[in-house]
């Protein structure tokens, strides 16, 4: 599966953005999906994940209550709705896909994912 992330940009603290990840190739609906981010000078970290049906999600503690991951399998698209953005949310955001049984705790491990998008930059600044 090929993944293309989009929707990044510059936003003020407290603002909102919605990221999208368009999938092409093999059947998107069979893949569990995740969002990761990498801030300048830092390692890539887990943000959120969702199972292939879209009825199970998992979040990093720092984004709980602010970010919402969702998917539309009919449109082959993954989303990340980001609200109440903080300066520390500034990073390149990546979408990723994995197969197999969805295990929430394990979904935070980047090695679980075989397919990665190219990333979209989110900058939170006043």
């Amino acid at each position: 599966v090929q993944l293309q992330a989009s929707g990044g940009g510059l936003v003020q603290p407290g603002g909102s953005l919605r990221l999208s990840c368009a999938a092409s190739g093999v059947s998107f609906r069979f893949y569990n999906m995740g969002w990761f981010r990498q801030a300048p000078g830092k390692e890539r970290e887990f943000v959120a994940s969702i199972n292939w049906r879209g009825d199970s999600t998992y979040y990093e503690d720092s984004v709980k209550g602010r970010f919402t991951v969702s998917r539309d399998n009919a449109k082959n698209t993954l989303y990340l709705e980001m609200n109440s953005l903080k300066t520390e949310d500034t990073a390149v955001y990546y979408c990723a896909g994995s197969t197999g049984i969805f295990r929430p705790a394990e979904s935070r491990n980047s090695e679980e994912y075989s397919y990665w998008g190219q990333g979209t930059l989110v900058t939170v600044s006043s």
Side-chain angles (χ1 to χ4, degrees):
V1 61
Q2 290 81 45
L3 303 173
Q4 179 83 24
S6 62
L10 174 63
V11 62
Q12 292 187 342
S16 298
L17 276 178
R18 188 175 80 157
L19 305 183
S20 298
C21 175
S24 60
V26 298
S27 299
F28 169 76
R29 67 181 183 274
F30 296 132
Y31 286 77
N32 303 315
M33 299 297 295
W35 285 100
F36 290 77
R37 66 186 180 186
Q38 186 166 19
K42 295 187 177 182
E43 293 186 352
R44 185 167 53 189
E45 65 174 2
F46 169 78
V47 176
S49 60
I50 187 167
N51 72 337
W52 64 275
R53 285 194 303 266
D55 60 1
S56 181
T57 58
Y58 186 65
Y59 296 92
E60 173 62 36
D61 285 346
S62 63
V63 307
K64 280 182 182 176
R66 300 189 299 123
F67 290 12
T68 302
V69 60
S70 63
R71 64 192 296 161
D72 186 335
N73 286 343
K75 295 182 178 180
N76 287 349
T77 305
L78 172 74
Y79 302 101
L80 184 68
E81 185 75 34
M82 305 186 295
N83 299 311
S84 303
L85 282 161
K86 305 176 181 180
T87 55
E88 53 263 42
D89 294 318
T90 294
V92 177
Y93 284 71
Y94 299 89
C95 56
S98 70
T99 57
I101 298 173
F102 181 73
R103 296 183 175 89
E106 294 178 9
S107 72
R108 63 185 303 117
N109 183 354
S110 62
E111 294 182 358
E112 291 289 307
Y113 299 84
S114 302
Y115 304 94
W116 291 84
Q118 87 292 354
T120 185
L121 176 62
V122 173
T123 303
V124 184
S125 175
S126 55

